Amino acid sequence: MSEELEQFKSKCSKLVKDEKYRELLTSCETKLEELNKTTPDDKEFLAYIYFAIGYAKGIGLENYDNAIEYYNKVN
């Protein structure tokens, strides 16, 4: 696992712990855009981002239908 991914996971974990779901969502969407431009083949990083977006939308924002869309992209 890359150092960048480890740092991003740590940041996301803190946001979840602090129940800052909108900030988590924004952070993940920004990182997803960046990753798609720089290293779109990093499947591990992409999977984590999709999962985190699904979590933020589902658990945090209660947007379950949209959350499922992102959980399905984890594969």
Side-chain angles (χ1 to χ4, degrees), residues 19-33:
E19 297 182 4
K20 294 182 177 180
Y21 301 111
R22 289 195 190 282
E23 191 175 332
L24 172 64
L25 183 58
T26 300
S27 180
C28 288
E29 289 174 338
T30 300
K31 182 56 84 173
L32 181 59
E33 287 178 22

Side-chain angles (χ1 to χ4, degrees), residues 8 14 17-18 32 35-36 38 48 51 55-57 64 66 68-71:
F8 189 73
K14 179 161 179 20
K17 181 180 175 186
D18 295 342
L32 181 59
L35 194 62
N36 279 328
T38 58
Y48 182 80
F51 177 82
Y55 187 89
K57 287 180 179 259
Y64 303 112
N66 202 248
I68 291 169
E69 175 185 333
Y70 281 90
Y71 283 137

Side-chain angles (χ1 to χ4, degrees), residues 2-3 13 21 23 27 44 46 53 56 58 62 69 73-74:
S2 74
E3 180 68 25
S13 293
Y21 301 111
E23 191 175 332
S27 180
E44 184 178 12
L46 285 172
I53 290 173
E62 298 181 0
E69 175 185 333
K73 293 180 180 187
V74 171

